[in-house]
Structure formats: structure tokens, C-alpha cells
Amino acid sequence: MSELTLQDWQQQAATLTIEGRAFINGRYVHAISGDTRPTYNPATGEKLADVANCDTADADKAIAIARQTFESGIWADMSPAERKMVLVRWAELIEANADELALLECLDVGKPIADTTGVDVPSAARTIRWTGEAIDKVYEEISATPKGTLSLITRLPLGVVAAIVPWNFPLSTTAWKIAPSLATGNSVIVKPASNTPLTAIRIAQLATEAGLPDGALQILPGPGGKLGAYIATHMDIDGLTFTGSTPVGKQLMEYSGQSNLKRTFLELGGKSPNIVFADADLDKAASMAATAVFYNGGQTCTAGTRLLVEESIHDEFIEKVIQHARDWMPGNPLDPNTTMGPMVDQGQYNTVAEYVQIGLNEGCKLEFGGKAIEVTPGGYYHEPTIFTGVNNQHRIAQEEIFGPVMSVIKFRTAEEAVEIANDSIFGLAGAVWSNNINTAIKVAEQVQVGTMGINNYFGGDITVPFGGFKQSGNGRDKSIHAFDDYTELKTTWIEFE
Ligand code: NAD
């Protein structure tokens, strides 16, 4: 955790040099067209930098270089132990430049500096180091075959992998994608979210400094609808890894079918249930219920936006949650005491405000928040917001808002809680709070999600897989299981006398 003050960060921000060019073949380059598009600071609405606005011609160039690099074997054929050392050095360089990266992420996304220094940057470094260190410890397989035969089951890199990533955790989701795809020997193209490209652009240079061969990693900033779609339909991309919204994820599956059936793995949206029973530690559960929704301004795919509360404790528990919601009033992201910053842009702010109105129109009771708030002039700040009296069929219980809006739903029995929890198109995450081990484990087992907490929310680290059931996606980021998304299994059957 950094010791710097608001004034220190403001000073650093005033003198920060921001790189906005694309990164292709080991160096920064302008878009072929020369086009740029601005990226803005969500805390002020002011322009931060002009960023290369890459197009199809840049994509063709980057993909051709990635292909040549893959086929040259300079990276793919390097021993796993050597690839490991490059990734470990890269993680060290990210740590050595932690303040700069944390500041860039704070300015570009509006995330509190305490989060970018304490979570985003350390988590990216840990992902890259852990994954690098794992790659020379993964063994391949031999199956049980008859005498006179030997089977080898080996993993081969896909070739050229594209990663399309969102704006809510730009650095850490980029790390989740590029660490395992590079570790397994692929060449990689990253398309950052068009409004938050800065940290991906910066860490590419650090990868080169760490010894990653030119052409193994390219960063192409540009619009999703045009550049992203072009990459996703490209015949020379072998694998596509995506984190973003469910509608775009569905589109990418179609693109795969329309083009070359590129392996397509998706981490998508959520509407996660956080289930609190009367016998839980209510103080801890209330504190985490607020954190589960308001952390990162609710712009978190796993946010526990549906708070399911046992009827007998509902009023008492909501009182406690409201007390904790006060700790999440928005502040200047550069202030180390800030817990919640602005929404990422005007569009996201508008979405939140529209859903607050929808909640009111649906007859839900606004218990806390619900309005814009001015912190720094020009910023897109919204109060933490709590609705009670929500029915699971309401739109604010079914649709992903991606903002600091909690929908509280009552339940009477464990069966009813599970039924409500599973009545969603999503299945990303959830949690159950109970001091009865039988209730906790039974409910956790029955809720259809990729990550379930018992008496915690947001639990997990790089050692465990992360991904969704149902329309929250397929494939898994993190852990050794992430290697499955970036490799093909190959069988070699040998007969001998
Ligand atoms: P988004 O789907 O709008 O955009 C994600 C990325 O896809 C961006 O880089 C965007 O430029 C690109 N894109 C947009 N349209 C495209 C198209 N037609 N073809 C190709 N690429 C295209 O999502 P967002 O608004 O950036 O992020 C928020 C969403 O991401 C939420 O739904 C959230 O739940 C989800 N998310 C999921 C996870 C997870 O791991 N499951 C993590 C973080 C965010």
C-alpha cells in the first residue's frame, strides 16, 4: 500500500507522461491512418491523452506480425523455464513501476488510488508471476494403453490469440488473459476497452524490457464495434478470449461460427445473489453486503447486487447495511481515503440513473442514495443506492446495472433463497452467510454459479479458477485451468515391437 498523499498524487498526475500509441512488434507506433481518439478522466471529464485509433489495416499488420513471430518459434519454442523467467521479470518490472501504473489506472478508469495501488497493480503482477512460475511445473499425460503402445497427450499453443477486455478492471483482466496465453507460447493481440487503454499500452513496453521477443504481444487500442469485430471475425486468429457484456459475448460466438471457429472463451455479466440467513454473523455480513455492491462503484461483474435477506431479520439487517453504505460515499479517486470514485463515463452514469428511475417506477422503496453527487467538478459521481421491497422479477433484480445499486429481496426458507438465486440468466458468483454449516454448504452447492463464497464475498485468488455458468460465460480465467483456454490437446499414438 502506497504512503503517498492526495497532494503527492496530484503532483505526479500533473507531470505524468502518457503513452497513447499502439504497440506492435516491440515498439510504439501510430495508427496507420494517423487517427487518434481521446481518453478522458472520469473524475473531471477532462482529456487525459490522445490514443491511437486503430483500424482494420493496423489489425492486419499486427496479426501478420503475431503469426510470423509464432511460426518463427522464437517464443513458442522457448523452453517453459525460459518463458517463466521472462514473465517473472515482467512482474518485477510492473512492481517497480507500480505507482505510475496505479496512477494511470486511477486517472483512466476513475478507480480510487487505494484500490489501484492495493488491488489492481499487485494483482496483475501476481497473476503474471504465478502463471509464469507455473508453466514449467505443468506435466503432460500418458494414458493407460495396451502393451506395445504408448500414448502421449500433449498441449500445444493455439497460435495467435486475441484478447478483448473491458474497462472496469483493465489491468487485472488484461493480466488474466495475457499471462496464460503467453505462458503457453502463443502470440497475443490485446484490444483494450476504447475508454481505458492506458495501462495495457504501458505494460507492453515493460514486457519487452523483461525479454519478451518482439511480435509476441501487440496492443491495439480502438473501437469495439469496428476493430473488435474485425479481430473476432479474422481468419488468422486462432483463439479469442473475451471479458465484457453478455450481448457482445453472444455476438463473438456468432463471429467465431461465421469465420474460422476460433476457440472463443467468454467471461460475461452477472447479477449475483448474496444470501444472508438469520443465524449469520450479521455485522460482518452487513459490512460485506455493502462492499459486495459498492466496491469499484458496482462496476464489477461479480458484484453482489441481489441481496437476499431472511425475512425475520430484514429490517434490522438493512439498518446495518445502510450504516456501511455511508462508508462508500464517492470521493476524489486521487485521495487515498476514497473508497468509491465516479462512474467510468457519462454513458455509464446515465445507465445507473435510468435504473434508479426504473426501480422507483417498479414500486421499490429507495432506502438510501439514488442521486448524483458532486465531488470534483465534471465527474460522473453517483451515490451508493439501496432499494428494498424488490421482487426477483423486477428489472432491477434481473438486469445488470453495473453501478452502485443494491436490490434487496426477502426470503423465508433456504429452498426459496436457492430458487430466487437461480432465477437469473446469469451464473457468475454469489455468497451465503450462515453459521449453520449444513445450511451454508447445502445452499452453496445448489446455487448455480462459478464462484460461491461461504461467509465471505469476493473470496479467491490466482490459485482458483474464475468464470461463469449459464449466460455469464464459458472457459475459465486464473489458475492452472486457464491454460485449457489457450492450448489444444494433441494425442500421439505410438506402436512399438
Ligand atoms: P462491452 O461488452 O461493452 O465491451 C467489452 C470489450 O468488447 C471492449 O473492449 C469493447 O470495445 C469490445 N467490443 C464491444 N463491442 C464489440 C463487438 N461487436 N465486437 C468485438 N468487440 C467488441 O463491456 P464493457 O462495458 O467494457 O464491460 C462491462 C461488462 O463486462 C459487464 O457486463 C461486466 O459484467 C462484464 N465483465 C465481466 C467479467 C467477468 O470476468 N465475467 C469481468 C469484468 C467485466
Side-chain angles (χ1 to χ4, degrees), residues 316-431:
E316 169 202 356
F317 187 69
I318 295 311
E319 258 323 296
K320 289 178 190 285
V321 177
I322 290 172
Q323 291 312 318
H324 289 288
R326 298 183 200 287
D327 299 337
W328 294 90
M329 290 308 278
N332 182 341
L334 286 173
D335 182 341
N337 296 315
T338 292
T339 52
M340 187 167 108
M343 303 290 96
V344 74
D345 57 22
Q346 182 74 57
Q348 195 58 29
Y349 174 84
N350 292 345
T351 303
V352 174
E354 277 162 30
Y355 272 104
V356 169
Q357 193 53 51
I358 289 169
L360 291 170
N361 295 348
E362 288 180 315
C364 305
K365 183 172 176 211
L366 182 62
E367 297 274 1
F368 188 78
K371 315 186 288 299
I373 176 168
E374 185 172 298
V375 176
T376 46
Y380 313 112
Y381 297 92
H382 195 282
E383 293 174 330
T385 297
I386 301 176
F387 278 109
T388 56
V390 182
N391 174 312
N392 200 48
Q393 301 316 316
H394 285 148
R395 286 183 63 191
I396 64 165
Q398 288 292 329
E399 298 173 19
E400 188 180 46
I401 301 172
F402 227 55
V405 183
M406 179 190 291
S407 301
V408 184
I409 304 170
K410 285 184 196 171
F411 70 85
R412 288 197 190 84
T413 63
E415 291 69 30
E416 193 190 355
V418 169
E419 199 182 307
I420 296 170
N422 287 338
D423 180 12
S424 169
I425 61 165
F426 299 112
L428 189 57

Side-chain angles (χ1 to χ4, degrees), residues 163-169 173 176-177 191-196 222-232 240 242-249 251-252 255 266-271 299-303 344 348 400 402 426 428 466-468 472-473 477:
I164 301 183
V165 294
W167 49 260
N168 60 336
F169 287 87
T173 43
W176 287 2
K177 309 294 193 192
K191 197 211 80 65
S194 41
N195 47 357
T196 59
K226 190 158 180 217
L227 177 65
Y230 186 72
I231 289 172
L240 176 63
F242 173 76
T243 294
S245 61
T246 296
V248 174
Q251 184 76 65
L252 297 182
Y255 290 156
L266 310 170
E267 303 292 348
L268 308 175
K271 195 76 195 177
Q299 302 169 124
T300 305
C301 51
T302 48
V344 74
Q348 195 58 29
E400 188 180 46
F402 227 55
F426 299 112
L428 189 57
F466 176 82
S472 290
D477 283 329

Side-chain angles (χ1 to χ4, degrees), residues 477-493:
D477 283 329
K478 298 168 47 189
S479 84
I480 299 280
H481 295 279
F483 295 146
D484 296 343
D485 292 4
Y486 304 105
T487 51
E488 295 282 17
L489 279 185
K490 177 161 183 172
T491 295
T492 308
W493 187 271

